Protein backbone atom coordinates (compact mmCIF):
# COMPACT_ATOMS: atom_id res chain seq x y z
CA UNK A 1 0.00 0.00 0.00
CA UNK A 2 2.97 2.32 0.44
CA UNK A 3 3.13 2.69 -3.35
CA UNK A 4 -0.38 4.23 -3.55
CA UNK A 5 -1.17 7.90 -3.04
CA UNK A 6 -4.54 8.23 -1.25
CA UNK A 7 -6.35 10.05 1.54
CA UNK A 8 -9.24 7.63 1.98
CA UNK A 9 -10.03 3.97 1.39
CA UNK A 10 -12.93 1.56 1.47
CA UNK A 11 -12.32 -1.68 3.33
CA UNK A 12 -13.56 -4.88 1.72
CA UNK A 13 -13.50 -7.99 3.90
CA UNK A 14 -13.97 -11.57 2.72
CA UNK A 15 -14.70 -13.92 5.59
CA UNK A 16 -14.82 -17.73 5.35
CA UNK A 17 -18.14 -19.04 3.99
CA UNK A 18 -18.57 -21.30 7.04
CA UNK A 19 -18.86 -18.22 9.26
CA UNK A 20 -22.30 -17.68 7.69
CA UNK A 21 -23.32 -21.11 9.08
CA UNK A 22 -21.96 -20.26 12.54
CA UNK A 23 -23.60 -16.83 12.44
CA UNK A 24 -26.92 -18.43 11.52
CA UNK A 25 -26.56 -20.93 14.35
CA UNK A 26 -25.86 -18.10 16.81
CA UNK A 27 -28.91 -16.21 15.54
CA UNK A 28 -31.19 -19.22 16.10
CA UNK A 29 -29.77 -19.63 19.60
CA UNK A 30 -30.28 -15.93 20.47
CA UNK A 31 -33.79 -15.97 19.02
CA UNK A 32 -34.70 -18.97 21.24
CA UNK A 33 -33.21 -17.31 24.35
CA UNK A 34 -35.01 -14.00 23.68
CA UNK A 35 -38.33 -15.77 23.01
CA UNK A 36 -38.06 -17.61 26.33
CA UNK A 37 -37.73 -14.23 28.07
CA UNK A 38 -40.87 -12.98 26.33
CA UNK A 39 -39.02 -10.45 24.21
CA UNK A 40 -39.14 -9.77 20.47
CA UNK A 41 -36.03 -9.59 18.26
CA UNK A 42 -35.92 -9.36 14.49
CA UNK A 43 -32.91 -10.44 12.45
CA UNK A 44 -32.65 -6.88 11.09
CA UNK A 45 -31.91 -5.76 14.68
CA UNK A 46 -28.72 -7.82 14.71
CA UNK A 47 -25.54 -6.33 13.23
CA UNK A 48 -23.98 -8.76 10.73
CA UNK A 49 -20.66 -10.19 11.87
CA UNK A 50 -18.85 -8.81 8.80
CA UNK A 51 -20.02 -5.24 9.49
CA UNK A 52 -19.16 -5.51 13.18
CA UNK A 53 -15.64 -6.66 12.28
CA UNK A 54 -15.18 -3.74 9.88
CA UNK A 55 -16.36 -1.25 12.53
CA UNK A 56 -13.86 -2.67 15.02
CA UNK A 57 -10.82 -2.61 12.70
CA UNK A 58 -11.35 0.60 10.72
CA UNK A 59 -10.19 2.82 13.62
CA UNK A 60 -6.87 1.01 14.13
CA UNK A 61 -6.33 0.86 10.34
CA UNK A 62 -6.89 4.61 9.98
CA UNK A 63 -4.51 5.28 12.86
CA UNK A 64 -1.85 2.94 11.45
CA UNK A 65 -2.03 4.73 8.08
CA UNK A 66 -1.57 8.17 9.59
CA UNK A 67 -5.17 9.33 9.83
CA UNK A 68 -6.45 8.12 6.46
CA UNK A 69 -10.27 8.03 6.35
CA UNK A 70 -11.84 4.56 6.17
CA UNK A 71 -15.14 5.26 4.40
CA UNK A 72 -17.94 3.46 2.54
CA UNK A 73 -17.08 4.99 -0.84
CA UNK A 74 -13.55 5.68 -2.05
CA UNK A 75 -11.45 5.39 -5.21
CA UNK A 76 -9.13 2.95 -3.40
CA UNK A 77 -10.44 -0.44 -2.29
CA UNK A 78 -8.40 -2.49 0.17
CA UNK A 79 -9.55 -6.10 0.18
CA UNK A 80 -8.60 -8.53 2.94
CA UNK A 81 -9.45 -12.23 2.67
CA UNK A 82 -9.56 -14.59 5.65
CA UNK A 83 -9.70 -18.39 5.80
CA UNK A 84 -10.14 -20.89 8.63
CA UNK A 85 -9.21 -24.38 7.55
CA UNK A 86 -10.20 -26.22 10.80
CA UNK A 87 -13.88 -25.29 10.28
CA UNK A 88 -14.02 -25.67 6.46
CA UNK A 89 -16.28 -28.70 6.87
CA UNK A 90 -18.90 -26.76 8.87
CA UNK A 91 -20.96 -26.01 5.77
CA UNK A 92 -20.63 -29.40 4.05
CA UNK A 93 -23.94 -30.67 5.50
CA UNK A 94 -25.75 -28.03 3.41
CA UNK A 95 -24.75 -29.81 0.19
CA UNK A 96 -27.01 -32.77 1.01
CA UNK A 97 -29.71 -30.60 2.63
CA UNK A 98 -29.92 -28.14 -0.32
CA UNK A 99 -28.17 -29.79 -3.31
CA UNK A 100 -29.65 -27.28 -5.80
CA UNK A 101 -27.61 -24.47 -4.24
CA UNK A 102 -24.21 -26.03 -4.91
CA UNK A 103 -23.38 -26.33 -8.59
CA UNK A 104 -19.76 -26.91 -9.70
CA UNK A 105 -18.31 -24.03 -11.74
CA UNK A 106 -15.14 -23.87 -13.83
CA UNK A 107 -13.57 -20.90 -12.07
CA UNK A 108 -14.30 -21.82 -8.44
CA UNK A 109 -12.12 -24.27 -6.54
CA UNK A 110 -14.94 -25.12 -4.13
CA UNK A 111 -18.72 -25.27 -4.52
CA UNK A 112 -19.05 -23.80 -1.02
CA UNK A 113 -18.93 -20.16 -2.02
CA UNK A 114 -20.32 -17.52 0.29
CA UNK A 115 -23.19 -16.85 -2.11
CA UNK A 116 -24.12 -20.55 -2.33
CA UNK A 117 -24.00 -20.97 1.46
CA UNK A 118 -26.19 -17.88 2.03
CA UNK A 119 -28.68 -19.17 -0.54
CA UNK A 120 -28.82 -22.58 1.19
CA UNK A 121 -29.33 -20.97 4.62
CA UNK A 122 -32.27 -19.02 3.21
CA UNK A 123 -33.86 -22.25 1.94
CA UNK A 124 -33.25 -24.61 4.87
CA UNK A 125 -35.86 -24.67 7.64
CA UNK A 126 -34.84 -23.83 11.20
CA UNK A 127 -35.85 -27.29 12.40
CA UNK A 128 -33.78 -29.04 9.77
CA UNK A 129 -30.77 -26.81 10.43
CA UNK A 130 -30.95 -27.52 14.18
CA UNK A 131 -31.00 -31.27 13.48
CA UNK A 132 -27.85 -31.07 11.35
CA UNK A 133 -25.70 -28.45 13.10
CA UNK A 134 -24.90 -27.60 16.72
CA UNK A 135 -26.66 -24.60 18.27
CA UNK A 136 -24.83 -22.65 19.56
CA UNK A 137 -21.80 -23.68 17.49
CA UNK A 138 -18.70 -25.10 19.19
CA UNK A 139 -15.98 -22.57 19.93
CA UNK A 140 -13.01 -22.87 17.54
CA UNK A 141 -9.53 -23.27 19.00
CA UNK A 142 -7.79 -20.96 16.51
CA UNK A 143 -8.30 -17.63 14.75
CA UNK A 144 -8.97 -16.91 11.10
CA UNK A 145 -5.86 -16.53 8.96
CA UNK A 146 -5.48 -13.51 6.61
CA UNK A 147 -4.58 -14.61 3.09
CA UNK A 148 -3.18 -11.28 2.00
CA UNK A 149 -4.16 -7.71 1.25
CA UNK A 150 -5.14 -6.67 -2.28
CA UNK A 151 -5.44 -3.02 -3.31
CA UNK A 152 -7.30 -1.74 -6.35
CA UNK A 153 -7.71 1.89 -7.37
CA UNK A 154 -10.53 3.01 -9.64
CA UNK A 155 -9.45 3.84 -13.18
CA UNK A 156 -8.24 7.33 -14.02
CA UNK A 157 -9.13 8.72 -17.46
CA UNK A 158 -7.01 11.12 -19.47
CA UNK A 159 -7.61 12.69 -22.86
CA UNK A 160 -5.85 14.84 -25.41
CA UNK A 161 -5.12 15.20 -29.12
CA UNK A 162 -2.20 13.75 -31.03
CA UNK A 163 -0.43 14.61 -34.26
CA UNK A 164 1.38 11.91 -36.23
CA UNK A 165 4.19 13.12 -38.50
CA UNK A 166 5.53 9.74 -39.66
CA UNK A 167 4.35 7.61 -42.60
CA UNK A 168 5.62 4.36 -41.07
CA UNK A 169 3.94 4.42 -37.66
CA UNK A 170 0.71 2.50 -36.88
CA UNK A 171 -1.77 3.87 -34.37
CA UNK A 172 -1.75 0.66 -32.32
CA UNK A 173 0.84 -2.18 -32.15
CA UNK A 174 0.91 -3.89 -35.55
CA UNK A 175 0.97 -7.65 -35.09
CA UNK A 176 0.24 -9.99 -38.02
CA UNK A 177 0.12 -13.77 -37.49
CA UNK A 178 1.74 -13.30 -34.10
CA UNK A 179 4.67 -11.34 -35.55
CA UNK A 180 5.46 -7.71 -34.68
CA UNK A 181 5.69 -5.66 -37.91
CA UNK A 182 6.62 -2.18 -36.65
CA UNK A 183 8.88 -1.29 -33.74
CA UNK A 184 6.46 1.19 -32.15
CA UNK A 185 3.03 2.82 -32.41
CA UNK A 186 1.25 6.06 -31.52
CA UNK A 187 -0.43 4.28 -28.61
CA UNK A 188 2.85 3.05 -27.13
CA UNK A 189 4.71 6.35 -27.56
CA UNK A 190 1.96 8.13 -25.61
CA UNK A 191 1.35 5.35 -23.06
CA UNK A 192 4.91 4.80 -21.81
CA UNK A 193 5.37 8.22 -20.11
CA UNK A 194 1.72 8.28 -18.95
CA UNK A 195 1.93 4.86 -17.26
CA UNK A 196 5.14 5.92 -15.56
CA UNK A 197 3.65 9.20 -14.27
CA UNK A 198 0.48 7.61 -12.88
CA UNK A 199 2.21 4.34 -11.90
CA UNK A 200 -0.67 2.40 -13.49
CA UNK A 201 -0.78 -1.36 -14.07
CA UNK A 202 -2.11 -1.05 -17.63
CA UNK A 203 -4.31 1.00 -19.97
CA UNK A 204 -7.01 0.98 -22.63
CA UNK A 205 -6.52 3.35 -25.56
CA UNK A 206 -9.27 4.75 -27.78
CA UNK A 207 -9.52 7.56 -30.31
CA UNK A 208 -11.90 9.37 -32.63
CA UNK A 209 -11.26 7.17 -35.65
CA UNK A 210 -7.84 5.98 -36.78
CA UNK A 211 -5.41 6.69 -39.60
CA UNK A 212 -3.54 4.12 -41.69
CA UNK A 213 0.12 3.47 -40.96
CA UNK A 214 1.24 5.60 -43.96
CA UNK A 215 -1.07 8.54 -43.20
CA UNK A 216 -0.03 11.63 -41.26
CA UNK A 217 -2.38 13.43 -38.83
CA UNK A 218 -1.78 17.17 -38.88
CA UNK A 219 -3.70 20.30 -37.83
CA UNK A 220 -5.09 20.23 -34.29
CA UNK A 221 -4.64 16.47 -34.14
CA UNK A 222 -6.91 13.50 -33.44
CA UNK A 223 -8.78 13.26 -30.09
CA UNK A 224 -7.76 10.28 -27.97
CA UNK A 225 -8.50 8.97 -24.49
CA UNK A 226 -6.84 6.48 -22.15
CA UNK A 227 -8.24 4.51 -19.26
CA UNK A 228 -5.44 3.94 -16.73
CA UNK A 229 -5.94 0.69 -14.83
CA UNK A 230 -5.21 0.55 -11.10
CA UNK A 231 -3.17 3.78 -10.98
CA UNK A 232 -1.06 4.08 -7.84
CA UNK A 233 -1.10 7.84 -8.34
CA UNK A 234 -4.43 9.38 -9.31
CA UNK A 235 -3.86 13.14 -9.24
CA UNK A 236 -1.50 15.35 -11.21
CA UNK A 237 -1.83 19.11 -11.01
CA UNK A 238 -1.90 21.42 -14.03
CA UNK A 239 1.86 21.93 -14.03
CA UNK A 240 2.57 18.19 -13.70
CA UNK A 241 0.21 17.41 -16.61
CA UNK A 242 2.01 20.05 -18.66
CA UNK A 243 5.36 18.41 -17.84
CA UNK A 244 3.94 14.98 -18.74
CA UNK A 245 2.78 16.31 -22.11
CA UNK A 246 6.23 17.79 -22.69
CA UNK A 247 7.96 14.50 -21.80
CA UNK A 248 5.80 12.68 -24.40
CA UNK A 249 6.66 15.28 -27.02
CA UNK A 250 10.43 15.22 -26.45
CA UNK A 251 10.52 11.39 -26.39
CA UNK A 252 9.84 11.13 -30.14
CA UNK A 253 9.73 13.35 -33.22
CA UNK A 254 7.10 11.05 -34.77
CA UNK A 255 4.19 12.32 -32.68
CA UNK A 256 3.09 15.35 -30.70
CA UNK A 257 0.42 15.58 -27.99
CA UNK A 258 -1.63 18.62 -26.99
CA UNK A 259 -4.52 19.42 -24.59
CA UNK A 260 -3.52 16.57 -22.24
CA UNK A 261 -5.87 16.50 -19.25
CA UNK A 262 -7.61 14.29 -16.69
CA UNK A 263 -11.30 13.73 -17.55
CA UNK A 264 -14.22 11.88 -16.01
CA UNK A 265 -15.48 8.47 -17.17
CA UNK A 266 -18.71 10.17 -18.29
CA UNK A 267 -16.82 12.70 -20.43
CA UNK A 268 -15.15 9.86 -22.36
CA UNK A 269 -18.40 9.18 -24.22
CA UNK A 270 -18.30 12.68 -25.77
CA UNK A 271 -15.53 11.52 -28.08
CA UNK A 272 -17.75 8.85 -29.64
CA UNK A 273 -21.05 10.79 -29.62
CA UNK A 274 -22.50 11.21 -33.10
CA UNK A 275 -19.22 10.02 -34.57
CA UNK A 276 -20.61 9.40 -38.06
CA UNK A 277 -22.12 12.91 -38.20
CA UNK A 278 -18.70 14.48 -37.64
CA UNK A 279 -16.58 15.74 -40.53
CA UNK A 280 -12.93 15.18 -41.33
CA UNK A 281 -10.67 17.07 -43.72
CA UNK A 282 -7.89 15.53 -45.79
CA UNK A 283 -5.21 16.44 -48.32
CA UNK A 284 -4.18 13.77 -50.84
CA UNK A 285 -1.49 13.62 -53.51
CA UNK A 286 -3.13 12.03 -56.59
CA UNK A 287 -1.52 10.31 -59.58
CA UNK A 288 -3.35 9.92 -62.89
CA UNK A 289 -2.46 7.44 -65.65
CA UNK A 290 -3.66 9.78 -68.42
CA UNK A 291 -1.88 13.15 -68.75
CA UNK A 292 -4.03 16.00 -67.45
CA UNK A 293 -4.24 19.76 -67.69
CA UNK A 294 -5.47 22.12 -64.97
CA UNK A 295 -8.81 22.57 -66.75
CA UNK A 296 -9.36 18.77 -66.87
CA UNK A 297 -9.71 18.60 -63.10
CA UNK A 298 -11.26 22.02 -62.33
CA UNK A 299 -14.84 20.63 -62.30
CA UNK A 300 -14.04 18.52 -59.21
CA UNK A 301 -13.93 21.66 -57.06
CA UNK A 302 -17.59 22.31 -57.99
CA UNK A 303 -18.83 18.93 -56.72
CA UNK A 304 -20.73 19.20 -53.42
CA UNK A 305 -22.43 16.63 -51.17
CA UNK A 306 -21.39 13.61 -53.24
CA UNK A 307 -22.91 10.41 -51.80
CA UNK A 308 -20.71 7.30 -52.02
CA UNK A 309 -21.67 3.63 -51.71
CA UNK A 310 -18.63 1.99 -50.15
CA UNK A 311 -18.44 -1.78 -49.90
CA UNK A 312 -16.09 -2.85 -47.11
CA UNK A 313 -12.59 -2.35 -48.58
CA UNK A 314 -10.60 -5.47 -49.45
CA UNK A 315 -7.72 -4.29 -47.22
CA UNK A 316 -9.88 -4.29 -44.07
CA UNK A 317 -12.21 -7.16 -44.91
CA UNK A 318 -10.31 -9.45 -42.52
CA UNK A 319 -11.39 -7.31 -39.53
CA UNK A 320 -14.61 -5.59 -40.62
CA UNK A 321 -17.96 -7.11 -41.61
CA UNK A 322 -18.92 -7.11 -45.28
CA UNK A 323 -21.41 -4.28 -45.80
CA UNK A 324 -22.19 -1.35 -48.07
CA UNK A 325 -21.86 1.93 -46.18
CA UNK A 326 -23.12 5.26 -47.48
CA UNK A 327 -20.75 8.15 -46.87
CA UNK A 328 -20.81 11.78 -48.06
CA UNK A 329 -18.00 13.83 -49.55
CA UNK A 330 -19.13 17.35 -48.59
CA UNK A 331 -16.66 19.29 -50.73
CA UNK A 332 -13.43 19.00 -52.73
CA UNK A 333 -10.78 21.36 -53.99
CA UNK A 334 -8.01 20.61 -56.51
CA UNK A 335 -4.52 22.09 -56.97
CA UNK A 336 -2.82 21.15 -60.26
CA UNK A 337 0.85 20.09 -60.01
CA UNK A 338 1.92 18.53 -63.31
CA UNK A 339 0.62 16.31 -66.11
CA UNK A 340 0.19 13.30 -63.82
CA UNK A 341 -0.18 14.77 -60.32
CA UNK A 342 -2.51 17.07 -58.37
CA UNK A 343 -3.40 17.77 -54.76
CA UNK A 344 -6.96 16.97 -53.70
CA UNK A 345 -8.44 18.56 -50.58
CA UNK A 346 -11.54 16.83 -49.23
CA UNK A 347 -14.05 17.46 -46.47
CA UNK A 348 -15.97 14.26 -45.79
CA UNK A 349 -18.29 12.50 -43.41
CA UNK A 350 -16.34 10.61 -40.74
CA UNK A 351 -15.77 6.99 -41.70
CA UNK A 352 -15.25 7.68 -45.42
CA UNK A 353 -12.55 5.49 -46.99
CA UNK A 354 -10.51 8.10 -48.86
CA UNK A 355 -8.05 5.74 -50.57
CA UNK A 356 -10.91 3.66 -51.96
CA UNK A 357 -12.72 6.78 -53.21
CA UNK A 358 -9.57 7.66 -55.17
CA UNK A 359 -8.68 4.31 -56.79
CA UNK A 360 -12.16 2.71 -56.69
CA UNK A 361 -11.12 -0.52 -54.93
CA UNK A 362 -11.97 -2.64 -58.04
CA UNK A 363 -15.37 -0.95 -58.27
CA UNK A 364 -16.29 -1.51 -54.62
CA UNK A 365 -16.62 2.27 -54.05
CA UNK A 366 -19.01 4.10 -56.39
CA UNK A 367 -18.72 6.76 -57.62
CA UNK A 368 -14.96 7.11 -57.43
CA UNK A 369 -12.29 9.45 -58.77
CA UNK A 370 -11.38 7.07 -61.61
CA UNK A 371 -14.94 7.31 -62.92
CA UNK A 372 -15.08 11.08 -62.48
CA UNK A 373 -11.79 11.65 -64.36
CA UNK A 374 -12.25 8.73 -66.78
CA UNK A 375 -8.73 7.46 -66.11
CA UNK A 376 -6.98 5.27 -63.55
CA UNK A 377 -6.01 7.24 -60.46
CA UNK A 378 -4.14 6.33 -57.29
CA UNK A 379 -3.25 8.01 -54.04
CA UNK A 380 0.45 8.55 -53.31
CA UNK A 381 0.20 10.41 -50.00
CA UNK A 382 -2.61 11.20 -47.58
CA UNK A 383 -2.78 13.61 -44.64
CA UNK A 384 -5.58 14.09 -42.13
CA UNK A 385 -5.87 17.88 -41.79
CA UNK A 386 -8.61 18.07 -39.15
CA UNK A 387 -10.95 15.92 -37.07
CA UNK A 388 -13.95 18.10 -36.25
CA UNK A 389 -14.69 16.81 -32.75
CA UNK A 390 -14.84 19.60 -30.14
CA UNK A 391 -13.42 17.41 -27.37
CA UNK A 392 -11.37 17.40 -25.23
CA UNK A 393 -11.48 21.11 -24.35
CA UNK A 394 -8.50 23.05 -25.69
CA UNK A 395 -5.86 24.07 -23.14
CA UNK A 396 -4.08 27.37 -23.91
CA UNK A 397 -0.37 26.82 -24.57
Amino acid sequence: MEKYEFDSLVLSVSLPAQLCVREHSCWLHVKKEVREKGLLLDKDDVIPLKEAFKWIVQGPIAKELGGVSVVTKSALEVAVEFTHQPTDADCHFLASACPDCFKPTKNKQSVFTRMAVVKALEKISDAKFLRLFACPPPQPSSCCVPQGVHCLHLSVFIAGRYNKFCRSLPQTPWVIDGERRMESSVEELIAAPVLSAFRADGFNFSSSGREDVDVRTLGNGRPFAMELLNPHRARLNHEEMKQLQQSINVSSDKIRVRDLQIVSREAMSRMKEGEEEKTKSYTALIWTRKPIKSEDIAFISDIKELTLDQKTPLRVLHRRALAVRQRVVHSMNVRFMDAHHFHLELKTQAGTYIKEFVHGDFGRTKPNLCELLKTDTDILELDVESVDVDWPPAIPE
Side-chain angles (χ1 to χ4, degrees):
M1 282 186 66
E2 69 276 3
K3 293 178 182 176
Y4 286 89
E5 290 184 15
F6 60 99
D7 49 28
S8 71
L9 63 89
V10 59
L11 182 63
S12 170
V13 176
S14 175
L15 297 176
Q18 61 267 29
L19 268 179
C20 297
V21 176
R22 292 178 152 265
E23 193 173 6
H24 189 69
S25 174
C26 288
W27 159 244
L28 294 180
H29 176 68
V30 170
K31 188 165 70 168
K32 175 174 170 287
E33 293 286 312
V34 168
R35 193 188 302 122
E36 287 174 357
K37 289 180 172 58
L39 301 172
L40 285 174
L41 185 68
D42 192 83
K43 197 166 187 179
D44 291 340
D45 299 324
V46 180
I47 297 167
L49 177 64
K50 189 175 179 178
E51 293 308 310
F53 175 75
K54 285 163 75 170
W55 287 354
I56 292 166
V57 300
Q58 66 185 22
I61 288 173
K63 187 177 179 182
E64 186 71 25
L65 294 173
V68 165
S69 302
V70 181
V71 292
T72 55
K73 192 173 182 181
S74 172
L76 179 67
E77 179 187 31
V78 179
V80 188
E81 182 184 359
F82 293 91
T83 60
H84 192 255
Q85 205 168 356
T87 58
D88 274 351
D90 279 4
C91 49
H92 289 183
F93 74 95
L94 290 170
S96 53
C98 304
D100 291 349
C101 297
F102 300 94
K103 305 284 186 187
T105 57
K106 288 180 182 177
N107 300 327
K108 301 289 183 182
Q109 291 181 337
S110 169
V111 294
F112 296 103
T113 62
R114 186 178 183 85
M115 193 178 293
V117 169
V118 169
K119 192 175 176 184
L121 291 172
E122 288 172 352
K123 287 185 73 173
I124 193 170
S125 68
D126 290 354
K128 190 172 185 181
F129 180 91
L130 292 169
R131 282 201 312 272
L132 298 170
F133 194 79
C135 181
Q139 185 175 341
S141 58
S142 59
C143 296
C144 287
V145 179
Q147 291 301 298
V149 177
H150 303 282
C151 301
L152 184 66
H153 199 288
L154 290 179
S155 294
V156 168
F157 299 88
I158 67 163
R161 287 174 171 264
Y162 73 80
N163 293 110
K164 179 166 90 77
F165 305 118
C166 176
R167 295 197 188 278
S168 58
L169 183 70
Q171 188 197 61
T172 53
W174 203 3
V175 180
I176 300 174
D177 297 330
E179 188 179 327
R180 181 83 188 233
R181 293 299 173 99
M182 297 269 178
E183 65 179 32
S184 191
S185 65
V186 173
E187 175 187 291
E188 290 165 297
L189 290 174
I190 296 173
V194 170
L195 287 179
S196 176
F198 285 89
R199 302 201 300 273
D201 288 350
F203 69 94
N204 292 316
F205 184 93
S206 58
S207 63
S208 180
R210 58 189 296 138
E211 66 285 313
D212 290 339
V213 63
D214 58 349
V215 175
R216 296 187 303 179
T217 299
L218 308 176
N220 284 339
R222 185 184 297 278
F224 73 91
M226 287 177 68
E227 178 186 8
L228 303 176
L229 307 174
N230 193 24
H232 290 47
R233 187 182 184 197
R235 298 189 191 120
L236 270 68
N237 62 34
H238 175 74
E239 193 56 39
E240 288 170 326
M241 287 299 288
K242 194 174 174 182
Q243 289 172 4
L244 173 57
Q245 177 173 294
Q246 192 175 356
S247 70
I248 295 169
N249 292 340
V250 299
S251 68
S252 172
D253 60 359
K254 296 179 179 179
I255 64 161
R256 183 177 180 274
V257 167
R258 63 190 295 153
D259 302 331
L260 193 67
Q261 57 198 278
I262 296 175
V263 297
S264 66
R265 180 188 288 270
E266 292 71 35
M268 291 271 288
S269 61
R270 300 233 353 234
M271 187 173 69
K272 299 291 185 181
E273 274 175 10
E275 202 165 53
E276 289 190 1
E277 282 71 53
K278 303 295 183 185
T279 59
K280 298 187 179 180
S281 301
Y282 302 86
T283 300
L285 175 59
I286 309 298
W287 167 86
T288 64
R289 182 180 295 277
K290 188 175 74 178
I292 55 168
K293 296 176 183 175
S294 178
E295 53 266 29
D296 295 333
I297 58 174
F299 75 97
I300 292 174
S301 297
D302 297 325
I303 298 174
K304 308 294 180 193
E305 305 303 322
L306 179 66
T307 299
L308 311 180
D309 288 323
Q310 294 201 297
K311 195 176 283 189
T312 305
L314 293 171
R315 65 188 171 92
V316 299
L317 202 50
H318 65 285
R319 58 181 170 85
R320 293 211 66 179
L322 178 61
V324 176
R325 299 172 180 86
Q326 279 205 339
R327 294 291 184 267
V328 178
V329 177
H330 298 297
S331 63
M332 291 183 280
N333 191 45
V334 294
R335 283 185 287 122
F336 179 79
M337 290 183 68
D338 58 42
H340 290 281
H341 300 91
F342 67 93
H343 276 119
L344 176 65
E345 297 170 1
L346 307 97
K347 190 168 188 176
T348 74
Q349 180 183 353
T352 304
Y353 290 108
I354 305 300
K355 292 177 177 177
E356 282 66 26
F357 167 63
V358 172
H359 59 60
D361 199 24
F362 300 101
R364 296 168 72 84
T365 288
K366 286 182 175 290
N368 56 62
L369 203 57
C370 298
E371 293 177 345
L372 295 174
L373 291 175
K374 296 181 173 55
T375 181
D376 288 344
T377 60
D378 206 351
I379 190 163
L380 303 182
E381 290 180 350
L382 180 62
D383 292 332
V384 179
E385 297 290 351
S386 72
V387 179
D388 299 331
V389 177
D390 56 355
W391 187 88
I395 297 175
E397 292 291 333

